[in-house]
Amino acid sequence: MTPSSSLDTAGAAPHGEHHDHHPNYLVDGTTIKSWLLTVDHKRIGLMFLFWVLLFFLVGGIFALLIRIELLTPGPTIMDAMTYNRTFTLHGLVMIFLFMIPAIPAVFGNFMLPLMLGAKDVAFPRLNLASLYIYLAGAVIALWGMLNGGLDTGWTFYTPYSTHTTTTVAPVLFGAFIIGFSSIATGINFIVTCHTMRAPGITWFKMPLFVWAIYATSCIQVLATPVIGLLLVLVTVENLFSFGMFDPARGGDPVLFQHLFWFYSHPAVYIMVLPAFGVMSEVVSTFSRKNIFGYRAVAYSSLGIAFVGFFAWGHHMFVSGQSTFDAGVFGVLTMLVGVFTAIKVFNWIGTVYKGAVDFKTPFAYFCGFLFFTVFGGMTGIALGTVSLDVPWHDTYFVVAHFHFIMVGATIMAFLAALHYWFPKMFGRTYHEGWGLVSAALIILGFNATFIPQFLLGNNGMPRRYYDYPERFQALNVASTAGASLLAFGFIIIALYLAYALVYGKAAGKNPWRSKGYEWQSESPPPTHNFVGPQPTFPEEPHFYVDPKKAEVPDAV
Amino acid sequence: MQSSAHTAEGAAPVPRLAAHFASLEVQTHAARLGMWLFLATEILLFAGLFVCYGCYRFLYPEAWAEGSRSLNLMMGTVNTVVLITSSLTAALAVHYAREGKNKMVGIMFALTLLMAIGFLVIKYFEYHHKFEIGTLPGRYYTYEGMQQPGIALYFTVYFCSTALHAFHVLIGMGVLTVAMIRAFTKADFGPNNYTMVELGSMYWHLVDLVWIFLFPMLYLV
């Protein structure tokens, strides 16, 4: 640790002698090695941010290619096989490389120790390892995608995936390795919550983002091993024809689906639970109000994590499952809606009579609320067996899961990025551009996926390369929406990159938030807090009277 | 990295406290909790295979009965005894580590490793026999003696689960070897510093535990 005195590059305005002795984490060591071998959770979080954004770009480009291909019936820019590989790559990259690690690995890593008053996560070296395991898995999977490609869709359904001539083994093996990264991160966060809380932070004084990450980690630890085993079995079967899921050899492909969705359904909550956590922080800060029903929000995270494990069967209503099973899974699916509704009502209760400060993160909160409610309601509809049967594997399902998984998660990811940008980099961005791009993104997202609900309801199946003439108008609308969405992301990239270099110094607490993480400097010093371990006497989200704005002064 | 020795290096049992932990107790607690969680994920990994086992046993009860009878019960039993005994020596290693008897820790782990090798040798003979007669998974199944529908699937499950278990035996052997070498050469385990021995031993108990499930599932019932 060589203290650096180069305050110009520190980002934050000079605050006196503190910075001389405690350089912020960005400038504490500037060699490449000091970044690549760091055990600082904040630097690891930033490196995850870099990779996650890169994979988001890759997945996004492939999404646009799919939309362009579907602009007209018949071949537009690629052949059918390329199309199959493109949507598989889009799904794989977006789910395994972006959505699952996006919020936990980036913002969870960065904020969790800060919010607990800890110096780091419990196992810093395991944390660094999880980054490299993630990258190793990504490299192997992408190598497989580029050398032969995979045309199964991201669900790898057997027996097709065990018989296809495309490269299944390296892609599945890559996904298996990424699973280890997920497990390592999950274990790390759970242990951190149990052992690293600063004195005075009881379980019910943990910020709600921490609760959400904790619940997410429980799912990661409990579900990921099962898909890990499954991916190994399918890989082995693809290479050696062991017949585990091959009906020609007596195997049962429905068993594959059970094991696959036992992970992949809870994986949806790995994606959206952290999003819920981010929103609890954002809504409290920008309403200047204590979160309404703190315990209910905390418990409902655990509730979603729990019932999320008993809903997987709703992916298999048309797989020959018994009517009784379908009914049970349908009801269990709807229970998730109950827990989500608890959160939604509490967020609205928080905004009610609050002193709303309509900044960019709050704009994303509004979009998030719409996507969650709309996506959630269509989820209840799809959980109803009689409705799911005609909608099964149509664009209705595509639109539904994009609304709830992508819509909600992207809103939260962008909200988190804007909300914590000053904390992470010590600089502020242009608020006007933030609001403009938020509006563009929300509009673009609706324009992309609402036509897909209509397409699905009219009977257009998902994953099809070609379609009848009558579906074209809605497909064009959807592609236009996707272009708008892409445009919005480009604007965000531009003004955030500008802010990174030329942004004004943010100061310690630009939002005047009561969140624990804002009590540290922006950007925080290497061990998070200057001086002895902090204690947090007040509860998180503690605003006495929103109208009086009894909050710390912006520095 | 983050760790900083609080006392002079080289002195006998020196517990190392990483800078981000409040105290040694907390650090040990965190390590133990992390290991328990990891072991839970390992159990779940095998649980997936148990589900496959249960599912296909339900579909092909005759094949399962016949496949189970074709295994060498003697070798399986000996292997079970070997593995359980090795778990005992691993547990004794923790006992000696707590008392600071590093030499005994090393000896106990050496015994554990010997038994692990013994287990793998017996497993090798079992596998070899199956390769000879052709009771192999999926399309490699060539044995004429048993023709029940689903019999090849029994051997798929058998080979997948025992191979995954054997893989864990190898990983466990790696962990215990490192602990053994450290006990013999550095002698730095003691009443306050036996986390590595304890966690390595916990991992070995998992290997043992999984086999205790696999043995009756595959050989006995």
Side-chain angles (χ1 to χ4, degrees), chain A residues 244-296:
Chain A
M244 189 68 108
F245 303 113
D246 182 359
R249 296 183 191 282
D252 185 0
V254 178
L255 177 61
F256 169 88
Q257 293 189 22
H258 277 291
L259 291 172
F260 180 80
W261 289 113
F262 178 79
Y263 166 79
S264 295
H265 188 73
V268 174
Y269 306 116
I270 297 180
M271 300 172 217
V272 296
L273 268 178
F276 292 168
V278 170
M279 285 310 165
S280 300
E281 299 291 326
V282 165
V283 75
S284 166
T285 294
F286 293 94
S287 305
R288 303 248 166 274
K289 258 184 80 186
N290 198 347
I291 194 92
F292 183 84
Y294 167 89
R295 282 194 184 221

Side-chain angles (χ1 to χ4, degrees), chain A residues 39 119 121-124 187 190-191 194-196 221-222 225 229 233 240-244 249-252 255 527, chain B residues 1-2 19-21 26 29-30 33-34 37-38 41 44-45 48-49 51-52 56 60 137-140 153 156 160 164:
Chain A
V39 284
K119 287 179 182 157
V121 290
F123 309 119
I187 290 178
I190 293 177
V191 176
H194 276 271
T195 60
M196 309 287 288
V221 167
L222 291 175
L229 173 91
L233 287 181
F240 306 115
S241 310
F242 272 17
M244 189 68 108
R249 296 183 191 282
D252 185 0
L255 177 61
H527 285 303
Chain B
M1 301 277 183
Q2 294 250 328
H20 58 290
F21 278 112
V26 175
H29 174 55
L33 182 62
L37 284 168
F38 175 68
T41 69
L44 282 160
L45 185 76
L49 270 173
V51 169
C52 292
Y56 293 129
Y60 307 108
R139 67 174 161 138
Y140 303 99
L153 262 180
T156 303
C160 286
L164 191 65

Side-chain angles (χ1 to χ4, degrees), chain B residues 75-188:
Chain B
M75 284 188 172
T77 312
V78 172
N79 249 354
T80 309
V81 174
V82 168
L83 210 54
I84 291 179
T85 318
S86 75
S87 235
L88 170 71
T89 52
L92 282 174
V94 182
H95 171 75
Y96 287 121
R98 275 192 189 135
E99 296 183 346
K101 295 176 180 163
N102 278 283
K103 200 178 163 199
M104 286 306 287
V105 173
I107 291 171
M108 283 302 144
F109 275 156
L111 283 174
T112 312
L113 286 167
L114 274 180
M115 282 183 268
I117 293 168
F119 176 88
L120 289 178
V121 168
I122 295 175
K123 204 79 227 160
Y124 166 78
F125 282 118
E126 282 191 80
Y127 271 23
H128 186 71
H129 176 68
K130 288 182 181 57
F131 274 85
E132 295 254 286
I133 63 170
T135 46
L136 290 172
R139 67 174 161 138
Y140 303 99
Y141 188 86
T142 51
Y143 186 58
E144 304 279 322
M146 293 183 288
Q147 294 292 351
Q148 300 276 5
I151 188 73
L153 262 180
Y154 174 82
F155 286 99
T156 303
V157 172
Y158 170 84
F159 272 100
C160 286
S161 32
T162 52
L164 191 65
H165 177 259
F167 183 64
H168 280 77
V169 171
L170 288 174
I171 296 174
M173 286 172 72
V175 173
L176 295 193
T177 307
V178 174
M180 179 185 76
I181 291 172
R182 278 190 51 181
F184 276 138
T185 58
K186 292 190 180 170
D188 56 359

